[in-house]
Amino acid sequence: MTRFQVGSAIPFLLLVAGCDWGSSVDLRNESGSVVAAQIRKVAGGSDFAQPGRWETKITLNQVDAPGMPAGFVDKLKAQMRQPQVAASCLTADDVKKGAFYVGEENQACRYERFAMGKGRIDGMLRCSDQMGTRSMAMSGSYARDKYKLVVTTDSQSAQQPGAAGKVSVTMTMDAKRSGQCLGTEGRPLTRL
């Protein structure tokens, strides 16, 4: 499998947790660095997200990996049949820094589009390097205290051309602020 897997979307999704901005972001054909800088600029000037305990439920909707052994794919589907739940603590300092974007910021990746505003988000990220090609499409809704996104990642290994090296995953991420931090949560995935 390539580097761009289910876990690759989670840092990006922490970015949108609770964003209810008066401003919006609408970019085309930009690098991850430009998208990240624009989001941080908008987030830095407003109440970016509500601090506290955030619970995220990840539900695997579909996995298609024709080159993987059937037993491996079946095992993955069985493990993910039950949604995975994670909790993180977002502090007021985390919110002020607005540094929640840790997606693909390398030169091999570009956003075909990234739009976020008025409670909606839509984006398409594509990457191509010596490892192969990867894409991540995301769409959904958000508010200051919750978000729900459907994310589809597709990857094609350069080492295994054709169906043998292709992996496609679709998941739903549903998150909400559930109150004050309890001290038992993990930290949000940030560059703080």
Side-chain angles (χ1 to χ4, degrees):
M1 291 183 136
T2 63
R3 296 176 296 145
F4 198 73
Q5 299 176 18
V6 173
S8 298
I10 294 170
F12 170 81
L13 296 168
L14 289 172
L15 148 77
V16 298
C19 308
D20 189 10
W21 306 331
S23 300
S24 62
V25 177
D26 189 1
L27 301 169
R28 301 284 184 265
N29 192 27
E30 292 289 353
S31 69
S33 297
V34 169
V35 171
Q38 185 66 28
I39 290 168
R40 288 181 186 125
K41 180 179 175 185
V42 172
S46 65
D47 186 10
F48 181 68
Q50 195 170 3
R53 179 184 173 96
W54 280 82
E55 295 177 0
T56 304
K57 180 173 74 171
I58 303 168
T59 305
L60 185 66
N61 303 329
Q62 181 179 344
V63 175
D64 184 26
M68 297 283 178
F72 175 80
V73 175
D74 291 342
K75 184 177 178 182
L76 179 61
K77 287 179 180 178
Q79 288 174 344
M80 295 296 286
R81 197 162 283 134
Q82 292 298 317
Q84 306 295 305
V85 178
S88 60
C89 179
L90 185 66
T91 68
D93 194 40
D94 295 337
V95 174
K96 286 178 190 172
K97 291 180 181 179
F100 302 96
Y101 179 89
V102 293
E104 300 270 354
E105 288 191 51
N106 66 53
Q107 296 296 337
C109 300
R110 294 203 63 85
Y111 279 91
E112 286 184 4
R113 68 182 185 278
F114 182 84
M116 185 174 198
K118 298 181 182 178
R120 300 291 307 159
I121 184 169
D122 177 66
M124 172 59 80
L125 175 69
R126 293 196 189 275
C127 304
S128 182
D129 57 23
Q130 71 277 3
M131 298 294 293
T133 59
R134 303 171 303 285
S135 68
M136 179 175 70
M138 72 230 46
S139 65
S141 60
Y142 64 89
R144 278 182 31 89
D145 60 352
K146 62 184 174 181
Y147 69 84
K148 185 171 186 174
L149 296 171
V150 175
V151 177
T152 299
T153 61
D154 290 297
S155 62
Q156 175 66 58
S157 171
Q159 289 77 33
Q160 293 181 315
K166 186 172 183 172
V167 177
S168 179
V169 176
T170 301
M171 69 184 126
T172 300
M173 303 188 88
D174 199 350
K176 65 179 180 177
R177 183 184 181 278
S178 62
Q180 298 300 315
C181 295
L182 304 174
T184 58
E185 304 87 359
R187 295 286 301 138
L189 300 174
T190 68
R191 292 189 177 183
L192 303 177

